[in-house]
Amino acid sequence: MTAVSHPLESFHAVIPAGGAGTRLWPLSRASRPKFLLDLDGSGRSLIQQTWDRLHDLIPADRIHVVTGRAHAQAIREQLPDLTGLIVEPSPRDSMPAIGLAAAVIGAQHPGAIIGSFAADHVIDDQVSFAEAIGQAVAVARTGLVTTIGITPTEASTAFGYIESGERLGVEGAGSARAIRSFVEKPDAATAADYVASGSYSWNGGMFVTRTDVLLGHLERLQPGLHAGLMTIASAWTGGDRQAVLDSTWPALTKIAIDHAVAEPVSLEGGMAVVPGEFTWDDVGDFAALQDIGAASSPETIWVDAGGLAIAEDGTTIAVVGLDDVVVVRTSDALLVVARDSAQSVKDVVAELKRRGRDDLV
Amino acid sequence: MTAVSHPLESFHAVIPAGGAGTRLWPLSRASRPKFLLDLDGSGRSLIQQTWDRLHDLIPADRIHVVTGRAHAQAIREQLPDLTGLIVEPSPRDSMPAIGLAAAVIGAQHPGAIIGSFAADHVIDDQVSFAEAIGQAVAVARTGLVTTIGITPTEASTAFGYIESGERLGVEGAGSARAIRSFVEKPDAATAADYVASGSYSWNGGMFVTRTDVLLGHLERLQPGLHAGLMTIASAWTGGDRQAVLDSTWPALTKIAIDHAVAEPVSLEGGMAVVPGEFTWDDVGDFAALQDIGAASSPETIWVDAGGLAIAEDGTTIAVVGLDDVVVVRTSDALLVVARDSAQSVKDVVAELKRRGRDDLV
């Protein structure tokens, strides 16, 4: 290892900003995705909060956002100091998005380390977040693809889990361990076992890696995708960036970074995890939205009732005789959902699509 | 008894049209009461349905509506053939309203029989309704104040009951019985006993009486109210009708016909009941509204859910994971209520008043 003058030297953040968040319909829409919304009433959208969290650690010119054409302008407006906006011609899932960022950043900053952070997650406790990033960057310098495993606060069945193995003994990252495996969202009993064991953490989708390490794995595991990304990256600073992007991008393999790199590399012993002791939530549904402290509209009238009631259009909501209910009213739609059924809101969006109501999704 | 050429000769109908129906908020409002609404999707408001039912039996000029100033114009628009509109200066409950109609009609048509029918009830089966009216008019001619007792279809706790006594043997009204007593809304066990006994019927608030008989009872039981009504009636066809009405009306005793006449006269043996075998509902709350067949907005999406969902503003409602829920969206308000709690909707209106939101009540 070469000595570094600052733990986060050459560390760049990548924020993939995609996904509509169909479980938060009708607040989130294809045209107004979750990351653009101020869901917790903080005054900052989720992507602005993500930006704030990273900008506290590194300068603005080392924060990059990858998004689709539809949301580029909204992101520019919400993040006026952003210089590194990468616009995808079409959604190809997270691996092409993060891979392109790695290729572009790596070409300009050889040896750079990137960390990817979803645009629409909520994190509380900046000190612990910074601590985890510091450790993850230290581990990533050693050539391991590193993730931050969120220390579980409950036996959630809503998240994937990371099983950690032996301690790695990396300097500056005393808590880092090898990853034994990634596991999908478990059932309740399995989740309880995971949490009781102390060896499992939530997969928050935060990957920290040297660009050359990530691209090396890609070249080996997804050579076609790697080649396409390198073609685009080599044209990035030239006059034909857009032409190359438009001709190359649509043929790239549509795949998540979890399946393309994280899972296979973990089986080869090439992945590490550092603990994240902060509060984290992916705000996956309205139950989660309530958990992160979203407040009901102040005008709401509850009679023998409780839950979350949001009137985006400012009208008065009255709820009578129902507990644990979530009510969301927008100018053009209305959702009433039992908190326990919050995950099924995606079925509403599916039904709207089936009915051809693209104006509402 | 004098012979009559037609069973309904000299029979006039009086429709008291008052009451906002706070349990049907936000559909019904002070400015848009229940009787003006097409609640069952039939294309006719409740007062129009009441009109249709009576006009099927008697000519338009024998149907009278008593209402407040706020709704006079809306009623004229909904009932273009109405000639007998009596406008109260202020609400004084049902006895002054029906008493004034009796005094005015009796002055113009000596010996007339009036029947009062709430503007906001739903009745199905016109043949049975006509049969009951025919019997009630026959009994009323004998000098009894006569009501129609609805044959119960369940042990409802939402209605008052009428206990019937001995058979009266009136010609043309073979089913008529004396009334033993009126009883308030019972608890569930008492209601079950009532229905099992076969001697109790629902009090639908339909009173049929000779005007002279009703006014005679009033003169004896509520002499001040009687005097005031006669003063107004004597000025009715002159030029100072409005002046006399305005000066006399506010001092009239505010009292329901049930308490002023029906209950005391029943104890004296002066009241009769004829059975109403038709389907009847006072549409007292959203559970009743659902029972009378009100339909959900066709765009509603139900996911593991069921109930009644009305979007008056035409927007799409989605309900997820909730059974027996009622959702009502208007342009300015939203109600979500468990069917079992439908009666508590009045508490929402009370709370809105407490908050000074008169614009919403």
Side-chain angles (χ1 to χ4, degrees):
Chain A
M1 288 300 93
T2 55
V4 290
S5 58
H6 182 281
L8 296 187
E9 187 180 300
S10 75
F11 174 63
H12 291 246
V14 176
I15 306 173
T22 55
R23 290 181 186 83
L24 291 178
W25 183 92
L27 286 185
S28 67
R29 307 287 179 94
S31 61
R32 196 179 58 173
K34 195 174 132 191
F35 59 80
L36 291 175
L37 305 178
D38 170 17
L39 284 177
D40 58 358
S42 66
R44 300 284 281 170
S45 73
L46 294 187
I47 198 171
Q48 286 176 319
Q49 292 182 43
T50 303
W51 170 276
D52 296 345
R53 200 180 298 134
L54 294 164
H55 196 208
D56 185 58
L57 305 177
I58 54 177
D61 63 3
R62 282 201 262 145
I63 306 175
H64 311 258
V65 174
V66 188
T67 195
R69 283 175 175 155
H71 307 306
Q73 186 52 34
I75 288 174
R76 282 192 195 96
E77 287 166 13
Q78 290 204 357
L79 303 177
D81 295 335
L82 173 69
T83 55
L85 183 63
I86 298 173
V87 180
E88 304 171 302
S90 61
R92 306 298 300 166
D93 215 327
S94 58
M95 189 68 256
I98 297 170
L100 178 58
V104 168
I105 294 167
Q108 294 169 15
H109 310 277
I113 293 170
I114 61 166
S116 69
F117 303 92
D120 55 5
H121 294 178
V122 166
I123 286 174
D124 213 8
D125 188 351
Q126 179 67 13
V127 171
S128 294
F129 177 70
E131 162 68 20
I133 297 299
Q135 289 207 29
V137 170
V139 178
R141 280 193 208 287
T142 71
L144 293 170
V145 178
T146 308
T147 187
I148 297 169
I150 317 294
T151 304
T153 54
E154 57 168 336
S156 174
T157 58
F159 310 131
Y161 282 71
I162 299 165
E163 183 188 10
S164 54
E166 74 281 8
R167 204 174 276 276
L168 291 172
V170 175
E171 190 182 334
S175 308
R177 291 175 177 273
I179 290 180
R180 193 164 287 157
S181 66
F182 288 89
V183 290
E184 299 285 324
K185 297 177 184 179
D187 59 30
T190 307
D193 288 345
Y194 286 171
V195 173
S197 76
S199 302
Y200 288 80
S201 53
W202 291 338
N203 180 3
M206 292 174 251
F207 295 100
V208 180
T209 176
R210 282 200 339 241
T211 57
D212 63 306
V213 169
L214 180 67
L215 294 168
H217 286 307
L218 257 188
E219 185 169 20
R220 189 166 47 87
L221 298 165
Q222 296 283 340
L225 175 53
H226 176 266
L229 293 174
M230 297 314 285
T231 299
I232 297 168
S234 68
W236 198 255
T237 53
D240 56 351
R241 177 207 292 191
Q242 199 59 49
V244 173
L245 190 60
D246 288 345
S247 63
T248 308
W249 188 265
L252 299 185
T253 306
K254 188 171 187 173
I255 189 168
I257 188 171
D258 307 76
H259 304 311
V261 168
E263 290 165 9
V265 173
S266 72
L267 299 177
E268 301 165 352
M271 290 212 54
V273 58
V274 299
E277 303 284 352
F278 44 81
T279 301
W280 168 89
D281 204 295
D282 70 350
V283 203
D285 61 24
F286 282 110
L289 186 61
Q290 193 174 12
D291 288 341
I292 66 165
S296 290
S297 300
E299 299 238 332
T300 307
I301 294 175
W302 303 94
V303 177
D304 302 326
L308 178 65
I310 298 171
E312 205 180 50
D313 61 355
T315 50
T316 297
I317 297 177
V319 186
V320 181
L322 287 162
D323 283 317
D324 295 324
V325 67
V326 177
V327 181
V328 181
R329 173 179 172 136
T330 64
S331 61
D332 59 352
L334 171 63
L335 172 72
V336 181
V337 56
R339 189 189 148 95
D340 285 349
S341 300
Q343 287 279 316
S344 299
V345 171
K346 66 181 186 302
D347 298 344
V348 173
V349 175
E351 176 62 18
L352 285 167
K353 284 180 183 161
R354 201 188 62 75
R355 295 185 185 179
R357 292 301 304 270
D358 293 337
D359 57 315
L360 290 180
V361 304
Chain B
M1 289 303 93
T2 54
V4 288
S5 58
H6 182 281
L8 295 187
E9 185 179 302
S10 75
F11 174 63
H12 291 245
V14 177
I15 306 173
T22 55
R23 289 181 186 83
L24 291 179
W25 182 92
L27 285 185
S28 67
R29 306 290 179 94
S31 62
R32 196 180 58 173
K34 193 173 132 193
F35 59 79
L36 292 175
L37 305 178
D38 170 17
L39 284 177
D40 58 358
S42 66
R44 299 284 281 171
S45 72
L46 294 186
I47 198 172
Q48 286 175 320
Q49 292 183 45
T50 303
W51 170 275
D52 295 345
R53 199 180 299 134
L54 294 163
H55 195 207
D56 184 59
L57 305 177
I58 54 178
D61 63 4
R62 282 201 263 145
I63 306 176
H64 311 258
V65 174
V66 189
T67 195
R69 283 173 176 158
H71 307 306
Q73 187 53 34
I75 288 174
R76 281 191 195 97
E77 288 165 12
Q78 290 204 359
L79 303 177
D81 295 335
L82 173 68
T83 55
L85 183 63
I86 298 174
V87 180
E88 304 170 302
S90 60
R92 306 299 298 165
D93 215 329
S94 59
M95 189 67 256
I98 296 169
L100 177 58
V104 168
I105 294 167
Q108 294 168 16
H109 309 277
I113 292 171
I114 60 166
S116 70
F117 303 91
D120 54 5
H121 293 178
V122 166
I123 287 174
D124 213 9
D125 187 353
Q126 178 69 12
V127 171
S128 294
F129 177 71
E131 162 67 20
I133 298 298
Q135 289 207 30
V137 170
V139 178
R141 281 193 208 287
T142 71
L144 293 169
V145 178
T146 308
T147 187
I148 297 169
I150 317 295
T151 304
T153 53
E154 57 168 335
S156 174
T157 59
F159 309 132
Y161 283 71
I162 299 165
E163 182 189 9
S164 56
E166 75 279 9
R167 205 175 275 277
L168 292 172
V170 175
E171 189 181 335
S175 307
R177 292 176 176 272
I179 289 180
R180 194 165 284 157
S181 66
F182 287 89
V183 290
E184 300 284 324
K185 296 177 185 179
D187 59 30
T190 307
D193 288 345
Y194 286 171
V195 173
S197 77
S199 302
Y200 288 80
S201 52
W202 291 337
N203 180 3
M206 291 173 251
F207 295 100
V208 180
T209 175
R210 282 198 341 240
T211 56
D212 63 306
V213 169
L214 180 68
L215 294 169
H217 286 309
L218 258 189
E219 185 169 21
R220 189 166 48 85
L221 298 166
Q222 296 282 340
L225 175 54
H226 176 266
L229 292 174
M230 297 315 285
T231 299
I232 297 168
S234 68
W236 197 253
T237 53
D240 55 350
R241 178 208 290 191
Q242 198 58 49
V244 173
L245 190 60
D246 288 344
S247 63
T248 308
W249 187 265
L252 299 185
T253 305
K254 188 171 187 172
I255 189 168
I257 188 171
D258 307 75
H259 305 311
V261 169
E263 289 165 10
V265 173
S266 72
L267 299 177
E268 301 166 352
M271 289 212 54
V273 59
V274 300
E277 303 284 352
F278 44 81
T279 301
W280 167 89
D281 204 296
D282 69 352
V283 204
D285 60 25
F286 282 110
L289 186 61
Q290 193 175 12
D291 288 342
I292 66 165
S296 291
S297 300
E299 299 240 331
T300 308
I301 294 175
W302 303 94
V303 177
D304 302 326
L308 178 65
I310 299 171
E312 205 180 50
D313 61 354
T315 51
T316 297
I317 297 177
V319 186
V320 181
L322 287 162
D323 282 318
D324 294 325
V325 67
V326 177
V327 181
V328 181
R329 173 178 174 138
T330 64
S331 60
D332 59 352
L334 171 63
L335 172 72
V336 181
V337 56
R339 189 188 148 96
D340 285 349
S341 300
Q343 288 278 317
S344 299
V345 172
K346 65 182 188 302
D347 298 344
V348 172
V349 176
E351 176 62 17
L352 286 167
K353 284 182 183 161
R354 202 189 61 76
R355 294 185 186 179
R357 293 303 303 270
D358 292 337
D359 58 314
L360 289 180
V361 304

